[in-house]
Every structure is written in structure tokens, then in C-alpha cells.
Amino acid sequence: MDTSITKSYWNDIVLAFPILSKNEKNSEKCDDEQFLAIKKIIVDNKLISFVHGMVTHKIKQDLMSKINDFWLYFMPYDVVELSYLLPSDDVSGDFSGFEKFKCAVDELFNLAQSYVETINRLQMLFENKKINLLKNLNAQICALLHSTLPSDYNKIIYQFYRVALRVFTKEDMVGDKKNTSKDGTFHCIGCSAEVISCKCDYILESFHLTNWQLITIGILEPLAGDVIMDLIHQTIESEVQDTTKDNFGEHHISDLENWIDKNVYNWVKYIYIPKHSKITHIADINLAIFMRKLKHLLYESYTRTRIDQLFNIIIEYPDSEPAVIDLSFTLHKTDFKSELCKKLQNALHSRLLHPAVNTIDIITAYTAAIKVLRKIDPCGALLQEVTQPIRAYLRSRKDTVRCVMTTLTEEGHYLTDELVRNENVLDEDDVCEEESMVEWAKWMPDPVDANPSKSSKRFRNSDTVSMLVDIYGTRELFVNEYRALLADRLLTQFMDNIGDEIRYLEFGDSLLHSCSVMLKDVYDSKRINHHLYSDPTSNLSSNNLNNKLEFPVKAIIVSNQFWPNFKDNFNVELPSVIQEHLDNYTKAFESFKVSTFGNGNRTLNWKPNLGIINIDLVLKDKTLNFTVSPIHATIIWHFQEQEEWTINDLSIKMRVPATTLRRRIGFWQNQGLLREKSFDTFIFVEDGIPTTSISGKGNRTSFVGRNSEFVYGDDDDEMESAVASAQDQREEELQVFWSYIVGMLTNLDSLPLDRIHQMLKMFATQGTGVDCSLTQLRLFLDEKVKQHLLIFTGGRYKLSK
């Protein structure tokens, strides 16, 4: 570039671009005609780049000297004093921040506008329309602003948009639009000013203008974008919290989506499409994309909120089903499965899986969790991972099997209905491949995070009953427990209707053959009882002249090899009059077998400690009716022979262990009929008062009057099973292995679990005929560790020294 040429035309260039003058305020300005002549000179002499460089450099210097004034508005009052912006008594802190940001943007806008004429003239020098000098100016302003950012600049911006958001949404706030202060004056709920001096219109008008100025300069998104998004996010979270708080019985997602589409959408348009602007800063398609992002924020916020509430949702299921359906919808739109799994497992450990919670309550929560997680994640991968700690904990409780079977056979329970509908335990091999492919069009692949093993797939496809039964990985333990429960009901309740029990037998096929025999025994016993008392030739018939029976005897005649083991191995010595009635029944039974089958070798072996007896106690002018066990009846019977008995004397008389006898006497003590005169010495009290009330224990009735009827089994302390539980029976069976295990550990010092199991399979199970799974063996050995017979260390078992 020729320097002489530049000097000769320098005055013309300064006239066209006064910003280059040393004294810009007093410099002359050319009109449009003069500028066109000067433009021709610049173009002809190829001075475009020189002029552009000089003008942009001057603008940059000028901006750098003035840009710091913008950030002064963001400084605390003790740093820089702006007296005209100091908050007065009637202006809140947020409104003061609103005013400061408005003034700062207004000054910045005026500064940027002061260069527009210069930039427009400079733009005319370029024929290339792709060069946008005004856009470059805005970018330069933005860069300079960010190069001098103060540390807490966001505070003022938050206040500005927070005030505007409050005014914008005041119509949606709950309650009256007017707040009353302590002095009784009414304040606007939007701007917090007194109603007579409400600033809402001013705030909205200023808000429109400021956003338009930021859009015009091109710094709305760089300067305030994060603040706007953060405020919207906070608003969404607040709305979700307020809407869903302790409310699980209603659907909320559609309402929240409508709220986003209406309120939040209008707020976003209010910012990005201000009414002062002739052009829109954000196109409709971009606004639609922005709204989709906001809906995703809504789904994330809702999902996190419901994950925190999921334990309560499970406990309240099925009343909480709407919340479960909504969570299932939002969880598929977010990636929070791992977070859900972790938080729910933590909630289960802290609120459910500890000794203070009853086993039946844990099982109820487990079945509810199965149903909830199945709805949330139908593939079952989430269910398998979340419920694994519950299954492990239930295996550690001794009463789990009995509680599960009690739940499954409880009248009116929804699991009972599933059991009867055959939605129950099925082996994977029972389902034909051809049948499983009938609905092939609905097939969906397993999720990538699902366990690909065959057992895992079977678990994920199991129904609720199957998952309960498969807690131990085997059905045999549950079938044996059901046998024990059934035997207990048959022996203690003399069930009149066995139809439901017959339906339950479908749940185990051949494994419940013994139960079928037990029910057949009950049916045959009822038939025999009816025959013996109705046959004129029977010595029990009322038509028989030799019949001197004072009360009827009805027996359940059991096939011993098909019934579970009985818990008590002693035979109580019954009163002679009762024994005579049993002997008469035996003779009638023997005669019936001879006449029917010609077999005189069939007789009865009585179990006098089992069954129930209905007795009347006559006390002065009152009569009490009780239905109790034979041991209870025999105890109170002997107190009519003498009024005082010691535990030792009564134990010898009845042939019952003293510990068992003392526990049974406690029942009559509670009824106020026996009193402990001295240690282990009891006397009969005819006008005693019951010391316990049965009210308050579930749905049982209170023992109100002394002439009331009491049924044995209504008291928790007396509800003892007549037969050994499946767990007790299994532990007794596994005791045959103990001598083998002691021998192994004596010779080999210590062994891991799998090695002990392999050696037992080779040497012990074949000789005893008792099978033992790895899980059962581990539980058995762990029990021996608790008894201090074994030591478990380093994954190996060894004998205790």
C-alpha cells in the first residue's frame, strides 16, 4: 500500500468514518452523497482492507475502554456506589437486581448502537454479502464481556429473570393474588409491591425491552442462556414436587406435559420472541427442539422424584398403580435404571430387611415389589437385580417357608387366586417350544443388561407364585411345609370343607401325592364316623342298648406313612372316662372292618396329645364353653379331683414333661381359673378374673363375659403346630449327615462348601436316601456355626476346638 496515497486521502477517510478522528465529538460528518464519492476513492485505490482494519481496531479500543462500565452494575454496593440504584424501603432485593441488569443492558445496547452507523458504512465497502460486519461487532462485544467476567455475575441475572418469572406466573400461584403484610397492607403476589403501586406492567415491559436489546446485540444466549435454563429447570422440579408429593393414586404426566406446553412454552416465547423485535431470535423449529429438551428435563425430574418415593409406592400398591404406570413411561425416556436399582436396594435394606420387620410383612412387600417392577420393566432384568437381596434375606429367616405357604393358602388372598388359576410353579421344561412360539410376532429381545443364563431367563419369565416358591431354588421344601400346614389344620380344626385344599393340590402335581392321601383320610374318617354312629349294630349307635356314652368321639384315621412327623413324642395319660370312650370307638372300628372287609387285624393307635376337645365348665351359676387341646382338657379335669396340684405331681399323673405342662397351664391362668399359690403349685379359682384380653390382636374377638365361648387357637401363645414344620423335618433329616461331616473335617482339618457337598453326594446320600442341595447344606452348616460347632473362615469350614 502506497503511504503517500493514504495520506492524501486520509482527511476524506476520517470524514467518512469520524471514529478515526482524534476529536470524534467535534469532527465533521459527511452526508450520503459525500460518502459515495469517498467510497469510490477507497475502492479505486484499494484501501478497503486498510480502512476496515483501522476502523475495527478503533472500535475495539473504544469498547475496551467502555466495556468495564457494564460490569460495574454487577458489583456489590460497597464496591461501587450507584446512588440512583440503591434499594429503597419499598423495593425488594430481587427488584433492585432487576433494575441494575436492565440499566446495564440498556447502556451496553446504546454503546453497541453507537457503532451501527459506522459499521453500516464500513459494510458498504464490501461487495461480498457473506461478510456480516454487524455480526462480527456483536461477537466482539460478547468476547470482550466474557474476557472480563466478574466471579458472581450470575446473581444479578438470576434476580432479573426470577422477578420476571414470578410476575409472569403469578396467575398460576396457589391462593389469593394479594398478600397481606404485618402492617395490614396488601401486596401484589407478583412484584411484592403495594397493590396501589404495582410494578408488574413495568416489569413485563422492561423485560420485553431488555430481552430485545440482548437479542439485537446477540448476547442473550451467551450471557443469560444458562441462567434461563437453570430457572426453568428449577421451576419444573418445583412443579413436579408440588404435584406428586405423597400422591400416588393419580396420573400426573399428561398434566405436567400440558403445563410445559402452556406455561413454560409461553415463558420461553416471552424471552426469545419479544414483542419489540421485528424478527424472531429463535425459529419455530428451534423452539420445538428447545421444548423437547424441556420435556426431557420434566421426565428426568419426575423419574428422580418417583425413584426417591418408590419404596412407599411399592408398599401402597395397588393403590399406587397410576404412579407406577407414569414411572414406567418416564423411565423408558431416561437412563435411570441403575440409579433406581441402587436407591431402591438401599431403601429396602434400611426400611425392610432387618429384624424389626415381620417375615410376613417382608413377603408382602416382596410380592408387591414383583408386581411394581414388572410393570416398570416388563423384561424382568430390573426385577431380578433389585429383589436379589430380598430373596437372600428371606432365605436366612427360619419361618419364611411357613409364612409363604400361609400366604398362598390364605382365603381371599390374591396369591391364592393365582394359585387356583394355575398361574403357578412351572418347570421350564414343561413349556413346549411350539407353544412358546405361538405369539412370535410379539417377541422382544432381552435387554443388553439382562443376565443371559437359562436360570435368569426362567426367573424373569416366572409369575409371582413361582418367584415366591423359588426363593430356595426348590419346591420340595414348600411342598413339605404345605403338608405340615395342612396336617395342622386337619388335626386342630377338623375342617368341614376341604374343597379349597383339593384345589390347591394342583400346584405341585406328584409332589403333593401325600397331601391327597391326607385329604382322603379326612374324607374317609368323616364317612366312618357317620357310619359308626348311625349303624344300629354299632356299639356307638344311640339305638344300641349297651351304649352308655356320655359324649361323642370323632376320630381322624390317618395313614401314618403319608402324614408329616408329629411334634410331641409323648402320649398324654387321659382321664379314665375319656379313655373308655376311645376304647369303645376302637371296638366299633374293629367290628366295622371285620364286617366290611373280613379283616380282623385292623385297629387304631391313638395319639391322645392331638386333636381338640369341646368342654363345658360349670362354675357356681355360670357355664363356660371351651374348645381346647386334650392336654388342656386333662389339666382342668384333674383340678375337679383336687383343688391343688404341683407341676411335678401333675406331670407324673398325666405323663407329660414338666416344661410342656407349665406352658399349657399358662392358658388356664390367663382365663383366671388357675392361680399359682406358690412356686410350681397351682390351685383352682372358681371366681377368678381373666388376666388377658384377646382384643387388640388382629381380628379376634374380646373375651367379654365369663359365660363366653373360647376356641383354642385364638390365642397367639397357644397356636402351636401339631406337626413339625418342613424346616424342622428337613433339619432332622440333614442330621444324618452330621457324623459324616465331623469325620471329614477331623481327617482333613478344613473344607470348602462345594467340596463337602461333593463328598456327601459320593458317600452319604446313597446310603441314607436323603438328598441335599448345595443351598440346603450351606444353611445347615451355617446353623452349626451359630451353635459354635463349626468355624467358618477364609471360605472353609472347620471343627470348633
Side-chain angles (χ1 to χ4, degrees), residues 49-68:
S49 298
F50 169 76
V51 174
H52 175 262
M54 291 295 292
V55 172
T56 53
H57 178 71
K58 182 62 176 177
I59 291 176
K60 183 178 180 181
Q61 285 184 326
D62 196 38
L63 282 173
M64 291 179 65
S65 65
K66 297 178 180 178
I67 203 72
N68 287 332

Side-chain angles (χ1 to χ4, degrees), residues 42 56 67 158 160 222 236 269 319 366 393 530 569 636 696 713:
I42 296 174
T56 53
I67 203 72
Y158 264 110
F160 176 82
I236 290 174
K269 287 182 63 178
D319 294 337
Y366 177 51
Y393 184 80
H530 176 74
N569 55 5
I636 204 67

Side-chain angles (χ1 to χ4, degrees), residues 586-606:
T586 302
K587 293 177 182 178
F589 175 80
E590 291 172 348
S591 300
F592 168 70
K593 288 298 181 179
V594 171
S595 62
T596 305
F597 303 102
N599 185 354
N601 295 326
R602 302 295 295 275
T603 187
L604 296 177
N605 180 21
W606 292 92

